Amino acid sequence: MRRRLHTRILGLSGRLLVGLILAFLVLPAFVVTLAAFNDRAILSFPPAGYSTRWFARALTYRDFRIGLWNSLVVTAWASTLALAVGTGFAIALKRYVFRLKGGLEGVLLSPLIVPHFTIGLGLLVLATGIGAARGFAVVVLTHVIVVLPFVIRSVYISLQNIDERLELAAASLGARPGRVLGTITLPLLAPGLFSGWLFAAILSFNEFTASLFVTGQATQTLPVAMYGYVREFADPTLAAVSVIYIAVTAALLTVANTFLGLGKVLNVEQGR
Amino acid sequence: MLSKAADRSPPASLPGTAANPRPVPAVRLDGVVKRFGAATALEETWLRVEQGEFLTLLGPSGCGKTTLLNLMAGFLEADAGEIFIGGDLVTSTPAYEREIGIVFQNYALFPHMSVAKNVGYGLRMRGVPRREIAERVDAALALVKLSGFSDRSPRQLSGGQQQRVALARALVIRPKVLLLDEPFSALDKNLRGAMQVELKEIQRRLGVTTVFVTHDQSEALSLSDRIVVMSAGRVRQTGTPDEVYRHPQDRFVAGFIGDVNLLPASLLARAGERATVAIRDLRRDVEAATLRGCAVGEEVDVFVRPDHLAVRQAGEAGTLPARVAALVYQGSHIDLHADLAEGGRVVVRMPGQGALATYAPGTPVGLVVPQGGLAAFPARDAAPSPLPQGPPDSRPSSLPPEPGSTR
Ligand SMILES: Nc1ncnc2c1ncn2[C@@H]1O[C@H](COP(=O)(O)OP(=O)(O)OP(=O)(O)O)[C@@H](O)[C@H]1O
Ligand SMILES: [Mg+2]
């Protein structure tokens, strides 16, 4: 009897704990969302009246419009480039045994260890040094470096799930290496490539620290524009932008989930 | 120790040398060696696979069967030696130009293609016209009795059906050689039997040269024209199923093919091709070839098949004294396990069920040892039996060192 009660209490408190943690995870988004609809021109919680005017301002504010456009351009380039480069490296890491493989692995995953501001600062110094100034190329390069480890990991895991004998069978049936890649490896890798690209895109779209260093007035991305805004104003526009951010990212993931299944996209499912 | 020169030329006993030219073999391996790091997966190997032959590579796990097959397929590069397919030197020809059909144990069907697309893959890679592809795919599927499955996904097929698709996919390109790496070991026993019969039928009908890998000796005995018995990266014996079963050249082959008993004995005399051994006070005639390096008086082991032994009353003249240890019912026969008076356990295979009633465990019996069908080898600790290709070794101490802690 005693024991039963004991386990019940344990079970109940366990569930409560899990519930609290989950609530805590979504708490910031919740607070910001409410703040975005605040009628008063101040970032506060709880809201004191309902309005959507901050959304209107967010969408018309010049810096945000430019920032959003810049962000989209940078994200598109950075995630696509990172996917191409990362896929190549992942295949090399998986398929070819060579000396320095461990070293290469370390270098490729190092952006996980090196702080983003170091990456940003380093590239800023370098860019100024060679007179490249704060062009888009530098921003894109920065983002590629930041997201590359995630792309490589994602593609690498998908590669590991491909049975090498499929490629051997294809080769024995007369397929040259290029055609094996095109007809067997890449089609089987597609979900992994897509998830790698999606990760890269989300990370790049949200990247702030390194971007702060390498962007200029003309190239600033949306997070940088938001930072600039919050230094001058304290109205809920920023909260409205955050809500838009969340909505866009959620929409992206929903689309991915509908077409591929979240398990596949996030690479948590083992391949057949 | 063999001299350097002798090392490099094929053993004289091998066919295909200048002295007696023979038809071009489907596959020829000339002194092929494969190493992985410090470990030798395949020691110098000389092998001929004749046109239309069904050849089986048989040996325990890790003996190098897959390595040998992968070398033929072009998935691995040999460290030494030459490989010929249909008379052409292919040692450094990539897999996609070798025109080889391969079937893996796990089927390896392309999961993103239908059955028909899988089977037609090789033809598409060869640029065969569409109409012809459709016809040949249909014919191949009919051959493996899977007509009507064209549009299915491999996922929707049973293991046996998947393996048929894999077979059709390999055969449809009309390969010069068909390679199969333990194709049936993932199937249950009944299905395996049925697939074996079917494979053999198809192979005979098409006349395609086939190299089949298995570690299952009964599969090897029932399917093959010839068997290559391997162990520890080395070919131990090549011969027809009957040759390797009845005339094993060394104790590894004798022990690996079929069930076998070992009777302690000593070498009494040797005369030309024959030798006489004494098993206790029984004298038996054996081939002398397998006793090379063994002096008269030395201990030898006599190998005898369970179904060649018979059981009599204890004390009957010309029998070995033993005691029944257990009776194991096997359906079609009974296995009688008996302990020899001088130590060691033997199995006697007895047809019919009578033994169950007659021989209770503990009963003393006399074992009849046949006059023929025996093979003798130097006793275990003595020098290993000789082979034309240098000293084969069953002693683990002489194995190449395992590769260091990689990965
Ligand atoms: N890629 C590799 N790298 C290192 N060692 C290998 C490699 N492939 C095989 N080996 C080693 O070579 C030896 C022969 O392997 P192989 O796969 O040919 O054996 P097998 O006879 O096919 O065994 P099984 O019946 O288990 O399939 C083994 O000791 C194995 O560990
Ligand atoms: Mg194998």
Side-chain angles (χ1 to χ4, degrees), chain B residues 34-37 39-42 59-70 76 105 181-182 213-215 230 233 402-403 406-407:
Chain B
K34 181 65 197 174
R35 295 184 201 94
F36 292 109
T40 306
L42 189 71
S61 185
C63 70
K65 308 181 294 288
T66 297
T67 302
L68 185 47
L69 210 67
N70 285 346
L76 289 177
Q105 178 186 344
D181 194 350
E182 311 206 18
V213 163
T214 184
H215 58 251
M230 300 177 62
E402 287 290 309
T406 48
R407 219 166 303 171

PDB file of all heavy atoms in Angstrom, chain B residues 34-37 39-42 59-70 76 105 181-182 213-215 230 233 402-403 406-407, ligand 1:
ATOM      1  N   LYS B  34      45.580 -10.469 -51.097  1.00  0.00           N
ATOM      2  CA  LYS B  34      44.905  -9.266 -50.593  1.00  0.00           C
ATOM      3  C   LYS B  34      45.223  -9.069 -49.115  1.00  0.00           C
ATOM      4  O   LYS B  34      45.039  -9.973 -48.315  1.00  0.00           O
ATOM      5  CB  LYS B  34      43.389  -9.384 -50.779  1.00  0.00           C
ATOM      6  CG  LYS B  34      42.631  -8.159 -50.301  1.00  0.00           C
ATOM      7  CD  LYS B  34      42.967  -6.925 -51.115  1.00  0.00           C
ATOM      8  CE  LYS B  34      42.560  -5.639 -50.415  1.00  0.00           C
ATOM      9  NZ  LYS B  34      43.026  -4.451 -51.143  1.00  0.00           N
ATOM     10  N   ARG B  35      45.718  -7.893 -48.801  1.00  0.00           N
ATOM     11  CA  ARG B  35      46.010  -7.564 -47.400  1.00  0.00           C
ATOM     12  C   ARG B  35      45.150  -6.399 -46.963  1.00  0.00           C
ATOM     13  O   ARG B  35      44.830  -5.523 -47.748  1.00  0.00           O
ATOM     14  CB  ARG B  35      47.474  -7.159 -47.237  1.00  0.00           C
ATOM     15  CG  ARG B  35      48.449  -8.279 -47.538  1.00  0.00           C
ATOM     16  CD  ARG B  35      49.885  -7.850 -47.269  1.00  0.00           C
ATOM     17  NE  ARG B  35      50.788  -8.711 -48.012  1.00  0.00           N
ATOM     18  CZ  ARG B  35      51.268  -8.435 -49.217  1.00  0.00           C
ATOM     19  NH1 ARG B  35      50.951  -7.295 -49.795  1.00  0.00           N
ATOM     20  NH2 ARG B  35      52.049  -9.282 -49.837  1.00  0.00           N
ATOM     21  N   PHE B  36      44.786  -6.405 -45.695  1.00  0.00           N
ATOM     22  CA  PHE B  36      44.175  -5.228 -45.079  1.00  0.00           C
ATOM     23  C   PHE B  36      45.133  -4.778 -43.994  1.00  0.00           C
ATOM     24  O   PHE B  36      45.220  -5.419 -42.954  1.00  0.00           O
ATOM     25  CB  PHE B  36      42.812  -5.549 -44.480  1.00  0.00           C
ATOM     26  CG  PHE B  36      41.762  -5.869 -45.513  1.00  0.00           C
ATOM     27  CD1 PHE B  36      41.281  -7.154 -45.659  1.00  0.00           C
ATOM     28  CD2 PHE B  36      41.270  -4.871 -46.342  1.00  0.00           C
ATOM     29  CE1 PHE B  36      40.317  -7.443 -46.610  1.00  0.00           C
ATOM     30  CE2 PHE B  36      40.308  -5.148 -47.290  1.00  0.00           C
ATOM     31  CZ  PHE B  36      39.833  -6.440 -47.428  1.00  0.00           C
ATOM     32  N   GLY B  37      45.851  -3.726 -44.238  1.00  0.00           N
ATOM     33  CA  GLY B  37      46.866  -3.304 -43.276  1.00  0.00           C
ATOM     34  C   GLY B  37      47.896  -4.406 -43.125  1.00  0.00           C
ATOM     35  O   GLY B  37      48.448  -4.896 -44.113  1.00  0.00           O
ATOM     36  N   ALA B  39      47.257  -7.380 -41.831  1.00  0.00           N
ATOM     37  CA  ALA B  39      46.652  -8.707 -41.900  1.00  0.00           C
ATOM     38  C   ALA B  39      46.449  -9.134 -43.353  1.00  0.00           C
ATOM     39  O   ALA B  39      46.019  -8.344 -44.188  1.00  0.00           O
ATOM     40  CB  ALA B  39      45.320  -8.702 -41.171  1.00  0.00           C
ATOM     41  N   THR B  40      46.756 -10.375 -43.634  1.00  0.00           N
ATOM     42  CA  THR B  40      46.538 -10.910 -44.969  1.00  0.00           C
ATOM     43  C   THR B  40      45.187 -11.606 -44.991  1.00  0.00           C
ATOM     44  O   THR B  40      45.003 -12.632 -44.352  1.00  0.00           O
ATOM     45  CB  THR B  40      47.655 -11.901 -45.337  1.00  0.00           C
ATOM     46  OG1 THR B  40      48.904 -11.239 -45.162  1.00  0.00           O
ATOM     47  CG2 THR B  40      47.515 -12.357 -46.772  1.00  0.00           C
ATOM     48  N   ALA B  41      44.241 -11.022 -45.714  1.00  0.00           N
ATOM     49  CA  ALA B  41      42.903 -11.616 -45.785  1.00  0.00           C
ATOM     50  C   ALA B  41      42.903 -12.775 -46.773  1.00  0.00           C
ATOM     51  O   ALA B  41      42.168 -13.734 -46.620  1.00  0.00           O
ATOM     52  CB  ALA B  41      41.879 -10.571 -46.192  1.00  0.00           C
ATOM     53  N   LEU B  42      43.736 -12.662 -47.824  1.00  0.00           N
ATOM     54  CA  LEU B  42      43.804 -13.722 -48.820  1.00  0.00           C
ATOM     55  C   LEU B  42      45.266 -13.931 -49.189  1.00  0.00           C
ATOM     56  O   LEU B  42      45.922 -13.034 -49.710  1.00  0.00           O
ATOM     57  CB  LEU B  42      43.001 -13.340 -50.066  1.00  0.00           C
ATOM     58  CG  LEU B  42      42.832 -14.475 -51.079  1.00  0.00           C
ATOM     59  CD1 LEU B  42      41.890 -15.525 -50.528  1.00  0.00           C
ATOM     60  CD2 LEU B  42      42.321 -13.943 -52.407  1.00  0.00           C
ATOM     61  N   GLY B  59      34.052 -22.214 -46.494  1.00  0.00           N
ATOM     62  CA  GLY B  59      34.992 -22.070 -45.383  1.00  0.00           C
ATOM     63  C   GLY B  59      34.331 -21.360 -44.233  1.00  0.00           C
ATOM     64  O   GLY B  59      33.268 -20.768 -44.385  1.00  0.00           O
ATOM     65  N   PRO B  60      34.978 -21.412 -43.083  1.00  0.00           N
ATOM     66  CA  PRO B  60      34.386 -20.783 -41.899  1.00  0.00           C
ATOM     67  C   PRO B  60      34.396 -19.265 -42.004  1.00  0.00           C
ATOM     68  O   PRO B  60      35.048 -18.703 -42.883  1.00  0.00           O
ATOM     69  CB  PRO B  60      35.287 -21.254 -40.755  1.00  0.00           C
ATOM     70  CG  PRO B  60      36.582 -21.563 -41.403  1.00  0.00           C
ATOM     71  CD  PRO B  60      36.274 -22.028 -42.794  1.00  0.00           C
ATOM     72  N   SER B  61      33.698 -18.624 -41.110  1.00  0.00           N
ATOM     73  CA  SER B  61      33.608 -17.169 -41.117  1.00  0.00           C
ATOM     74  C   SER B  61      34.994 -16.535 -41.008  1.00  0.00           C
ATOM     75  O   SER B  61      35.826 -16.981 -40.233  1.00  0.00           O
ATOM     76  CB  SER B  61      32.740 -16.726 -39.942  1.00  0.00           C
ATOM     77  OG  SER B  61      32.551 -15.342 -39.996  1.00  0.00           O
ATOM     78  N   GLY B  62      35.212 -15.528 -41.835  1.00  0.00           N
ATOM     79  CA  GLY B  62      36.472 -14.797 -41.770  1.00  0.00           C
ATOM     80  C   GLY B  62      37.612 -15.431 -42.536  1.00  0.00           C
ATOM     81  O   GLY B  62      38.752 -14.973 -42.456  1.00  0.00           O
ATOM     82  N   CYS B  63      37.334 -16.476 -43.340  1.00  0.00           N
ATOM     83  CA  CYS B  63      38.429 -17.165 -44.020  1.00  0.00           C
ATOM     84  C   CYS B  63      38.795 -16.486 -45.327  1.00  0.00           C
ATOM     85  O   CYS B  63      39.757 -16.870 -45.986  1.00  0.00           O
ATOM     86  CB  CYS B  63      38.070 -18.623 -44.278  1.00  0.00           C
ATOM     87  SG  CYS B  63      36.805 -18.825 -45.528  1.00  0.00           S
ATOM     88  N   GLY B  64      38.043 -15.461 -45.738  1.00  0.00           N
ATOM     89  CA  GLY B  64      38.429 -14.724 -46.938  1.00  0.00           C
ATOM     90  C   GLY B  64      37.553 -14.983 -48.147  1.00  0.00           C
ATOM     91  O   GLY B  64      37.897 -14.588 -49.256  1.00  0.00           O
ATOM     92  N   LYS B  65      36.407 -15.612 -47.975  1.00  0.00           N
ATOM     93  CA  LYS B  65      35.527 -15.912 -49.113  1.00  0.00           C
ATOM     94  C   LYS B  65      35.023 -14.636 -49.771  1.00  0.00           C
ATOM     95  O   LYS B  65      35.105 -14.482 -50.993  1.00  0.00           O
ATOM     96  CB  LYS B  65      34.319 -16.746 -48.642  1.00  0.00           C
ATOM     97  CG  LYS B  65      34.684 -17.981 -47.855  1.00  0.00           C
ATOM     98  CD  LYS B  65      33.452 -18.773 -47.454  1.00  0.00           C
ATOM     99  CE  LYS B  65      32.536 -18.058 -46.478  1.00  0.00           C
ATOM    100  NZ  LYS B  65      33.072 -17.955 -45.107  1.00  0.00           N
ATOM    101  N   THR B  66      34.492 -13.743 -48.934  1.00  0.00           N
ATOM    102  CA  THR B  66      33.960 -12.497 -49.483  1.00  0.00           C
ATOM    103  C   THR B  66      35.075 -11.680 -50.121  1.00  0.00           C
ATOM    104  O   THR B  66      34.895 -11.072 -51.180  1.00  0.00           O
ATOM    105  CB  THR B  66      33.267 -11.688 -48.370  1.00  0.00           C
ATOM    106  OG1 THR B  66      32.171 -12.455 -47.888  1.00  0.00           O
ATOM    107  CG2 THR B  66      32.764 -10.358 -48.882  1.00  0.00           C
ATOM    108  N   THR B  67      36.235 -11.693 -49.498  1.00  0.00           N
ATOM    109  CA  THR B  67      37.383 -10.975 -50.058  1.00  0.00           C
ATOM    110  C   THR B  67      37.693 -11.490 -51.458  1.00  0.00           C
ATOM    111  O   THR B  67      37.881 -10.700 -52.396  1.00  0.00           O
ATOM    112  CB  THR B  67      38.601 -11.165 -49.139  1.00  0.00           C
ATOM    113  OG1 THR B  67      38.268 -10.693 -47.837  1.00  0.00           O
ATOM    114  CG2 THR B  67      39.798 -10.417 -49.673  1.00  0.00           C
ATOM    115  N   LEU B  68      37.708 -12.811 -51.615  1.00  0.00           N
ATOM    116  CA  LEU B  68      37.997 -13.410 -52.913  1.00  0.00           C
ATOM    117  C   LEU B  68      36.931 -13.010 -53.937  1.00  0.00           C
ATOM    118  O   LEU B  68      37.243 -12.637 -55.076  1.00  0.00           O
ATOM    119  CB  LEU B  68      38.062 -14.940 -52.747  1.00  0.00           C
ATOM    120  CG  LEU B  68      38.463 -15.787 -53.943  1.00  0.00           C
ATOM    121  CD1 LEU B  68      39.695 -15.209 -54.613  1.00  0.00           C
ATOM    122  CD2 LEU B  68      38.742 -17.216 -53.500  1.00  0.00           C
ATOM    123  N   LEU B  69      35.683 -13.055 -53.512  1.00  0.00           N
ATOM    124  CA  LEU B  69      34.581 -12.685 -54.399  1.00  0.00           C
ATOM    125  C   LEU B  69      34.672 -11.209 -54.799  1.00  0.00           C
ATOM    126  O   LEU B  69      34.496 -10.854 -55.966  1.00  0.00           O
ATOM    127  CB  LEU B  69      33.254 -12.938 -53.667  1.00  0.00           C
ATOM    128  CG  LEU B  69      32.061 -13.307 -54.535  1.00  0.00           C
ATOM    129  CD1 LEU B  69      32.300 -14.666 -55.156  1.00  0.00           C
ATOM    130  CD2 LEU B  69      30.789 -13.319 -53.724  1.00  0.00           C
ATOM    131  N   ASN B  70      34.974 -10.359 -53.812  1.00  0.00           N
ATOM    132  CA  ASN B  70      35.082  -8.926 -54.081  1.00  0.00           C
ATOM    133  C   ASN B  70      36.239  -8.613 -55.024  1.00  0.00           C
ATOM    134  O   ASN B  70      36.178  -7.648 -55.790  1.00  0.00           O
ATOM    135  CB  ASN B  70      35.241  -8.146 -52.772  1.00  0.00           C
ATOM    136  CG  ASN B  70      33.932  -8.056 -51.997  1.00  0.00           C
ATOM    137  OD1 ASN B  70      32.864  -8.337 -52.548  1.00  0.00           O
ATOM    138  ND2 ASN B  70      34.001  -7.694 -50.746  1.00  0.00           N
ATOM    139  N   LEU B  76      37.422  -4.774 -54.764  1.00  0.00           N
ATOM    140  CA  LEU B  76      38.693  -4.641 -54.059  1.00  0.00           C
ATOM    141  C   LEU B  76      39.806  -4.758 -55.079  1.00  0.00           C
ATOM    142  O   LEU B  76      39.642  -5.384 -56.123  1.00  0.00           O
ATOM    143  CB  LEU B  76      38.861  -5.761 -53.027  1.00  0.00           C
ATOM    144  CG  LEU B  76      38.009  -5.746 -51.770  1.00  0.00           C
ATOM    145  CD1 LEU B  76      38.291  -6.991 -50.941  1.00  0.00           C
ATOM    146  CD2 LEU B  76      38.281  -4.496 -50.959  1.00  0.00           C
ATOM    147  N   GLN B 105      23.939 -11.281 -49.693  1.00  0.00           N
ATOM    148  CA  GLN B 105      23.107 -11.929 -48.680  1.00  0.00           C
ATOM    149  C   GLN B 105      21.902 -11.069 -48.305  1.00  0.00           C
ATOM    150  O   GLN B 105      20.807 -11.564 -48.113  1.00  0.00           O
ATOM    151  CB  GLN B 105      23.950 -12.203 -47.430  1.00  0.00           C
ATOM    152  CG  GLN B 105      23.148 -12.840 -46.320  1.00  0.00           C
ATOM    153  CD  GLN B 105      23.963 -12.965 -45.049  1.00  0.00           C
ATOM    154  OE1 GLN B 105      25.174 -12.848 -45.072  1.00  0.00           O
ATOM    155  NE2 GLN B 105      23.300 -13.218 -43.950  1.00  0.00           N
ATOM    156  N   ASP B 181      27.117 -14.155 -52.789  1.00  0.00           N
ATOM    157  CA  ASP B 181      27.756 -14.182 -51.476  1.00  0.00           C
ATOM    158  C   ASP B 181      26.738 -14.581 -50.408  1.00  0.00           C
ATOM    159  O   ASP B 181      25.937 -13.760 -49.974  1.00  0.00           O
ATOM    160  CB  ASP B 181      28.347 -12.803 -51.151  1.00  0.00           C
ATOM    161  CG  ASP B 181      29.313 -12.867 -49.972  1.00  0.00           C
ATOM    162  OD1 ASP B 181      29.365 -13.924 -49.305  1.00  0.00           O
ATOM    163  OD2 ASP B 181      30.006 -11.865 -49.722  1.00  0.00           O
ATOM    164  N   GLU B 182      26.768 -15.828 -50.022  1.00  0.00           N
ATOM    165  CA  GLU B 182      25.829 -16.375 -49.032  1.00  0.00           C
ATOM    166  C   GLU B 182      24.405 -15.892 -49.305  1.00  0.00           C
ATOM    167  O   GLU B 182      23.760 -15.306 -48.431  1.00  0.00           O
ATOM    168  CB  GLU B 182      26.269 -15.971 -47.622  1.00  0.00           C
ATOM    169  CG  GLU B 182      27.737 -16.247 -47.395  1.00  0.00           C
ATOM    170  CD  GLU B 182      28.093 -16.473 -45.939  1.00  0.00           C
ATOM    171  OE1 GLU B 182      27.168 -16.753 -45.150  1.00  0.00           O
ATOM    172  OE2 GLU B 182      29.270 -16.403 -45.604  1.00  0.00           O
ATOM    173  N   VAL B 213      29.347 -18.395 -52.677  1.00  0.00           N
ATOM    174  CA  VAL B 213      30.033 -18.389 -51.382  1.00  0.00           C
ATOM    175  C   VAL B 213      29.100 -18.897 -50.301  1.00  0.00           C
ATOM    176  O   VAL B 213      27.936 -18.495 -50.233  1.00  0.00           O
ATOM    177  CB  VAL B 213      30.504 -16.968 -51.014  1.00  0.00           C
ATOM    178  CG1 VAL B 213      30.838 -16.869 -49.536  1.00  0.00           C
ATOM    179  CG2 VAL B 213      31.702 -16.569 -51.844  1.00  0.00           C
ATOM    180  N   THR B 214      29.590 -19.792 -49.473  1.00  0.00           N
ATOM    181  CA  THR B 214      28.787 -20.255 -48.351  1.00  0.00           C
ATOM    182  C   THR B 214      29.704 -20.769 -47.251  1.00  0.00           C
ATOM    183  O   THR B 214      30.861 -21.090 -47.485  1.00  0.00           O
ATOM    184  CB  THR B 214      27.810 -21.367 -48.776  1.00  0.00           C
ATOM    185  OG1 THR B 214      27.000 -21.717 -47.661  1.00  0.00           O
ATOM    186  CG2 THR B 214      28.542 -22.585 -49.273  1.00  0.00           C
ATOM    187  N   HIS B 215      29.176 -20.789 -46.024  1.00  0.00           N
ATOM    188  CA  HIS B 215      29.915 -21.488 -44.981  1.00  0.00           C
ATOM    189  C   HIS B 215      29.171 -22.755 -44.576  1.00  0.00           C
ATOM    190  O   HIS B 215      29.515 -23.409 -43.619  1.00  0.00           O
ATOM    191  CB  HIS B 215      30.154 -20.570 -43.782  1.00  0.00           C
ATOM    192  CG  HIS B 215      28.895 -20.027 -43.188  1.00  0.00           C
ATOM    193  ND1 HIS B 215      28.523 -18.712 -43.312  1.00  0.00           N
ATOM    194  CD2 HIS B 215      27.917 -20.629 -42.499  1.00  0.00           C
ATOM    195  CE1 HIS B 215      27.359 -18.524 -42.713  1.00  0.00           C
ATOM    196  NE2 HIS B 215      26.960 -19.668 -42.226  1.00  0.00           N
ATOM    197  N   MET B 230      38.308 -23.260 -48.066  1.00  0.00           N
ATOM    198  CA  MET B 230      39.254 -22.243 -47.613  1.00  0.00           C
ATOM    199  C   MET B 230      39.301 -22.198 -46.106  1.00  0.00           C
ATOM    200  O   MET B 230      38.330 -22.520 -45.424  1.00  0.00           O
ATOM    201  CB  MET B 230      38.829 -20.864 -48.125  1.00  0.00           C
ATOM    202  CG  MET B 230      38.765 -20.754 -49.629  1.00  0.00           C
ATOM    203  SD  MET B 230      38.166 -19.129 -50.141  1.00  0.00           S
ATOM    204  CE  MET B 230      39.439 -18.074 -49.476  1.00  0.00           C
ATOM    205  N   GLY B 233      42.328 -17.502 -44.976  1.00  0.00           N
ATOM    206  CA  GLY B 233      42.862 -16.795 -46.129  1.00  0.00           C
ATOM    207  C   GLY B 233      43.601 -17.669 -47.116  1.00  0.00           C
ATOM    208  O   GLY B 233      44.360 -17.170 -47.945  1.00  0.00           O
ATOM    209  N   GLU B 402      46.317  -9.873 -35.863  1.00  0.00           N
ATOM    210  CA  GLU B 402      45.129  -9.066 -36.124  1.00  0.00           C
ATOM    211  C   GLU B 402      45.552  -7.623 -36.354  1.00  0.00           C
ATOM    212  O   GLU B 402      46.521  -7.162 -35.768  1.00  0.00           O
ATOM    213  CB  GLU B 402      44.197  -9.121 -34.896  1.00  0.00           C
ATOM    214  CG  GLU B 402      43.489 -10.452 -34.737  1.00  0.00           C
ATOM    215  CD  GLU B 402      42.435 -10.674 -35.822  1.00  0.00           C
ATOM    216  OE1 GLU B 402      41.602  -9.787 -36.020  1.00  0.00           O
ATOM    217  OE2 GLU B 402      42.472 -11.734 -36.478  1.00  0.00           O
ATOM    218  N   PRO B 403      44.824  -6.918 -37.212  1.00  0.00           N
ATOM    219  CA  PRO B 403      45.162  -5.497 -37.394  1.00  0.00           C
ATOM    220  C   PRO B 403      44.999  -4.761 -36.075  1.00  0.00           C
ATOM    221  O   PRO B 403      44.170  -5.120 -35.258  1.00  0.00           O
ATOM    222  CB  PRO B 403      44.128  -5.020 -38.427  1.00  0.00           C
ATOM    223  CG  PRO B 403      43.054  -6.058 -38.437  1.00  0.00           C
ATOM    224  CD  PRO B 403      43.700  -7.338 -38.007  1.00  0.00           C
ATOM    225  N   THR B 406      42.111  -0.350 -34.898  1.00  0.00           N
ATOM    226  CA  THR B 406      41.730   0.680 -35.841  1.00  0.00           C
ATOM    227  C   THR B 406      40.366   1.212 -35.462  1.00  0.00           C
ATOM    228  O   THR B 406      39.726   0.716 -34.560  1.00  0.00           O
ATOM    229  CB  THR B 406      41.701   0.119 -37.276  1.00  0.00           C
ATOM    230  OG1 THR B 406      40.980  -1.109 -37.262  1.00  0.00           O
ATOM    231  CG2 THR B 406      43.095  -0.114 -37.794  1.00  0.00           C
ATOM    232  N   ARG B 407      39.897   2.185 -36.201  1.00  0.00           N
ATOM    233  CA  ARG B 407      38.564   2.754 -36.025  1.00  0.00           C
ATOM    234  C   ARG B 407      38.438   3.651 -34.830  1.00  0.00           C
ATOM    235  O   ARG B 407      39.156   3.522 -33.866  1.00  0.00           O
ATOM    236  CB  ARG B 407      37.514   1.657 -35.888  1.00  0.00           C
ATOM    237  CG  ARG B 407      36.226   2.042 -36.629  1.00  0.00           C
ATOM    238  CD  ARG B 407      35.328   0.847 -36.784  1.00  0.00           C
ATOM    239  NE  ARG B 407      35.994  -0.227 -37.482  1.00  0.00           N
ATOM    240  CZ  ARG B 407      35.479  -1.437 -37.588  1.00  0.00           C
ATOM    241  NH1 ARG B 407      34.352  -1.736 -37.055  1.00  0.00           N
ATOM    242  NH2 ARG B 407      36.087  -2.384 -38.246  1.00  0.00           N
TER     243      ARG B 407
HETATM  244  N1  LIG C   1      37.649  -3.841 -45.289  1.00  0.00           N
HETATM  245  C1  LIG C   1      38.370  -4.607 -44.457  1.00  0.00           C
HETATM  246  N2  LIG C   1      39.298  -4.063 -43.647  1.00  0.00           N
HETATM  247  C2  LIG C   1      40.028  -4.817 -42.817  1.00  0.00           C
HETATM  248  N3  LIG C   1      39.916  -6.144 -42.705  1.00  0.00           N
HETATM  249  C3  LIG C   1      39.012  -6.761 -43.478  1.00  0.00           C
HETATM  250  C4  LIG C   1      38.184  -6.027 -44.388  1.00  0.00           C
HETATM  251  N4  LIG C   1      37.370  -6.900 -45.023  1.00  0.00           N
HETATM  252  C5  LIG C   1      37.687  -8.110 -44.526  1.00  0.00           C
HETATM  253  N5  LIG C   1      38.665  -8.038 -43.611  1.00  0.00           N
HETATM  254  C6  LIG C   1      39.270  -9.175 -42.890  1.00  0.00           C
HETATM  255  O1  LIG C   1      39.664 -10.119 -43.842  1.00  0.00           O
HETATM  256  C7  LIG C   1      39.352 -11.430 -43.399  1.00  0.00           C
HETATM  257  C8  LIG C   1      38.489 -12.132 -44.413  1.00  0.00           C
HETATM  258  O2  LIG C   1      37.235 -11.473 -44.471  1.00  0.00           O
HETATM  259  P1  LIG C   1      36.071 -11.957 -45.415  1.00  0.00           P
HETATM  260  O3  LIG C   1      34.979 -10.957 -45.310  1.00  0.00           O
HETATM  261  O4  LIG C   1      36.598 -12.229 -46.756  1.00  0.00           O
HETATM  262  O5  LIG C   1      35.622 -13.307 -44.707  1.00  0.00           O
HETATM  263  P2  LIG C   1      34.444 -14.304 -45.114  1.00  0.00           P
HETATM  264  O6  LIG C   1      35.071 -15.613 -45.415  1.00  0.00           O
HETATM  265  O7  LIG C   1      33.598 -13.702 -46.154  1.00  0.00           O
HETATM  266  O8  LIG C   1      33.657 -14.421 -43.741  1.00  0.00           O
HETATM  267  P3  LIG C   1      32.077 -14.518 -43.492  1.00  0.00           P
HETATM  268  O9  LIG C   1      31.683 -15.933 -43.703  1.00  0.00           O
HETATM  269  O10 LIG C   1      31.963 -14.121 -42.053  1.00  0.00           O
HETATM  270  O11 LIG C   1      31.410 -13.555 -44.416  1.00  0.00           O
HETATM  271  C9  LIG C   1      38.703 -11.279 -42.042  1.00  0.00           C
HETATM  272  O12 LIG C   1      39.671 -11.535 -41.061  1.00  0.00           O
HETATM  273  C10 LIG C   1      38.260  -9.853 -42.008  1.00  0.00           C
HETATM  274  O13 LIG C   1      38.311  -9.363 -40.702  1.00  0.00           O
END
